[in-house]
Amino acid sequence: MPFGLKNTPATFSQVLIVAFKEFIHKFLEVYFDDWIVFALVKRHVSSLHLMLDTCQRYQIALNLKKCIFYVPFGFFLRHVVCKQGLMVGPVKIIVIVNLEAFRNVKQLRATLGKNGYYRNLLGGMRR
């Protein structure tokens, strides 16, 4: 990604979304130049193969010195990545557990907005 050009990060993000739209949230998460492929060991090789083929098709170059492969557990944008998939990180769970009582409607609405984001990560969350 060339730097110094106007709107380069936004354009690069759009290219990634278009290129990987069928894989995002299934076995691939993309945030600018941070990508993560998560899958069980049996499917990990095929998932990597699909991702690398797509990179080749769209002429997206990877820096292999910065790539890490086959990590059983890791963190990605303060989320935990493991064999179960993408989960909420422990720091965020501590913050949610230690929430104080709401003092006004604005704080309540802000919290409900954050809950909407975490709804898809927390399976048993009530609406």
Side-chain angles (χ1 to χ4, degrees):
M1 175 168 64
F3 291 95
L5 300 175
K6 191 174 184 178
N7 296 327
T8 302
T11 304
F12 183 68
S13 293
Q14 286 299 108
V15 168
L16 293 179
I17 289 170
V18 169
F20 297 113
K21 67 182 173 188
E22 61 193 80
F23 308 137
I24 293 177
H25 303 305
K26 292 179 184 168
F27 63 84
L28 178 70
E29 293 297 330
V30 176
Y31 182 77
F32 289 109
D33 61 346
D34 293 326
W35 307 355
I36 189 160
V37 176
F38 55 92
L40 296 175
V41 176
K42 295 176 184 176
R43 294 188 55 219
H44 198 71
V45 174
S46 62
S47 300
L48 277 173
H49 192 266
L50 287 170
M51 192 263 313
L52 293 173
D53 283 346
T54 304
C55 287
Q56 189 174 22
R57 186 177 337 125
Y58 285 90
Q59 298 178 358
I60 299 171
L62 300 177
N63 185 349
L64 291 179
K65 293 178 184 175
K66 293 183 178 182
C67 294
I68 302 171
F69 296 99
Y70 299 108
V71 177
F73 180 87
F75 292 95
F76 179 70
L77 302 175
R78 296 187 181 168
H79 290 79
V80 177
V81 181
C82 59
K83 65 181 179 180
Q84 289 85 13
L86 195 63
M87 300 182 340
V88 178
V91 174
K92 295 199 182 270
I93 292 173
I94 291 170
V95 169
I96 292 170
V97 168
N98 295 329
L99 276 176
E100 295 181 11
F102 306 111
R103 295 189 188 111
N104 54 39
V105 175
K106 185 176 180 180
Q107 289 179 343
L108 174 64
R109 287 180 180 157
T111 302
L112 290 175
K114 292 174 189 170
N115 288 348
Y117 170 76
Y118 288 109
R119 184 173 290 129
N120 65 346
L121 294 174
L122 299 173
M125 187 171 177
R126 301 260 181 212
R127 290 183 185 221

